[in-house]
Amino acid sequence: ITFILVLSLICFSFTTIELGEVKGWFLAGSEPSSYEIGVVEDEQRNGKVAYIKSIKPKINNKFGTIMQSFSAEKYLDTKLKLTGYIKTQDVKGWVGMWMRVDGHKSHSLSFDNMNDRKIKKTTEWTKYEIILDVPKNSKSINYGVLLSEEGIAWIDDLSFEVVSKSLKSTGKTLPSAPENNSFEK
């Protein structure tokens, strides 16, 4: 993986492969043994791209994800945008780029997996974005691309950028305290 830091922008590109794995990334999900990750050349993207694909037939209501985690320390009390390019083929379920911000003991503080804007079937390279709050008590940021059921998704040029707090989040952020407990509002 090549890391480039430019004005609080981190770009990830898939440039290294070791023993059939994607360096720095791992396979997870509800049934990771039904999926494979790797790196291939892609002429449209002018270089290498990562992929996740199903390797077993008839995977029902299960998913695999190519993912990575890092410390939230440098991004506390900011709003963070994840951008990436995804292409799909023969997806039976759906594909989504995802990001989750965790606090103490991996308690999720904010999350978006594109469940409300699923990528389905066969698509060309398309740019996607996720914007989430990174609260002051955040510990880690986890992200990747998930594939539900069968098909293949290619991924390239994932990047993070600190953005204005005035931008609307694409996912769910937990409130910092309970509200409207008397139901008067």
Side-chain angles (χ1 to χ4, degrees), residues 68-179:
Q68 193 172 131
S69 299
F70 61 94
S71 171
E73 186 177 357
K74 293 180 182 179
Y75 303 98
L76 298 179
D77 197 30
T78 67
K79 192 162 281 214
L80 195 58
K81 178 170 73 171
L82 167 61
T83 303
Y85 292 83
I86 300 173
K87 176 182 171 180
T88 61
Q89 182 179 322
D90 299 327
V91 173
K92 301 288 188 248
W94 62 282
V95 169
M97 186 169 68
W98 64 272
M99 181 167 66
R100 187 184 73 233
V101 179
D102 288 345
H104 187 64
K105 295 186 179 181
S106 298
H107 178 72
S108 180
L109 302 175
S110 56
F111 176 73
D112 185 3
N113 66 359
M114 295 180 53
N115 189 46
D116 60 345
R117 51 199 192 284
K118 298 172 181 172
I119 307 166
K120 296 183 175 186
K121 300 181 181 178
T122 299
T123 63
E124 291 302 316
W125 284 108
T126 306
K127 180 180 175 181
Y128 297 95
E129 295 180 345
I130 289 175
I131 300 172
L132 290 179
D133 291 310
V134 183
K136 291 179 185 179
N137 60 335
S138 300
K139 299 295 181 196
S140 66
I141 299 170
N142 311 278
Y143 69 103
V145 172
L146 70 85
L147 169 60
S148 173
E149 300 185 15
E150 301 159 48
I152 185 168
W154 293 271
I155 308 109
D156 196 25
D157 291 331
L158 297 173
S159 64
F160 286 92
E161 178 183 6
V162 174
V163 295
S164 170
K165 287 187 179 185
S166 66
L167 288 177
K168 184 177 180 188
S169 292
T170 58
K172 296 177 179 151
T173 300
L174 295 177
S176 59
E179 62 180 80

